[in-house]
Amino acid sequence: MKKTLCYSVRVDSVSSVSEKAVLITCFDGSKDIFPKSAIFGPDYEVQKSQAYWIAAWILPKKNIQYSCKKSAWFDENGKMLPTVTVSKHKPDKVDSVETNEILDLLK
């Protein structure tokens, strides 16, 4: 199964240039043409502006403003895959004590 990493990119406008390309304009005025195959659809979680899921491999090659903070994986059909974060807890080393008595509680 082929997976593609995508970033949520906030855009000012998206307009179709041809049947295979779109022109994306960002809020800072930067514009660039993207292939439609690199755009995986709108990000519906963003409320204050438009945002689209765009493949991470193409963003450094283009001249638009983007952030790597919000990412997701998509399969070859354009369906978002569940995101799983694995974190490992390493406990602090604690020295052993001779007695288990709490001095403040002793009479």
Side-chain angles (χ1 to χ4, degrees):
M1 177 168 74
K2 183 179 175 187
K3 297 188 297 184
T4 305
L5 177 64
C6 296
Y7 294 128
S8 177
V9 179
R10 290 183 179 220
V11 298
D12 188 28
S13 67
V14 176
S15 57
S16 182
V17 176
S18 70
E19 63 182 49
K20 293 187 178 185
V22 294
L23 176 68
I24 294 179
T25 306
C26 289
F27 293 106
D28 65 345
S30 59
K31 299 178 183 180
D32 217 329
I33 295 175
F34 283 80
K36 287 185 179 178
S37 62
I39 298 174
F40 286 80
D43 181 6
Y44 295 112
E45 293 177 358
V46 177
Q47 298 293 323
K48 295 183 179 179
S49 65
Q50 287 183 318
Y52 285 87
W53 291 106
I54 301 177
W57 62 267
I58 199 165
L59 287 169
K61 300 176 185 178
K62 299 293 184 175
N63 186 26
I64 66 164
Q65 182 182 32
Y66 69 95
S67 172
C68 300
K69 287 184 181 178
K70 189 173 181 185
S71 63
W73 289 92
F74 287 81
D75 64 5
E76 63 268 4
N77 298 326
K79 183 179 176 188
M80 186 186 294
L81 299 172
T83 302
V84 177
T85 305
V86 178
S87 61
K88 204 170 193 180
H89 174 71
K90 186 174 181 182
D92 296 333
K93 183 166 173 75
V94 178
D95 294 330
S96 61
V97 293
E98 290 188 23
T99 62
N100 240 2
E101 297 174 348
I102 300 173
L103 298 177
D104 295 341
L105 299 178
L106 288 176
K107 284 190 176 184

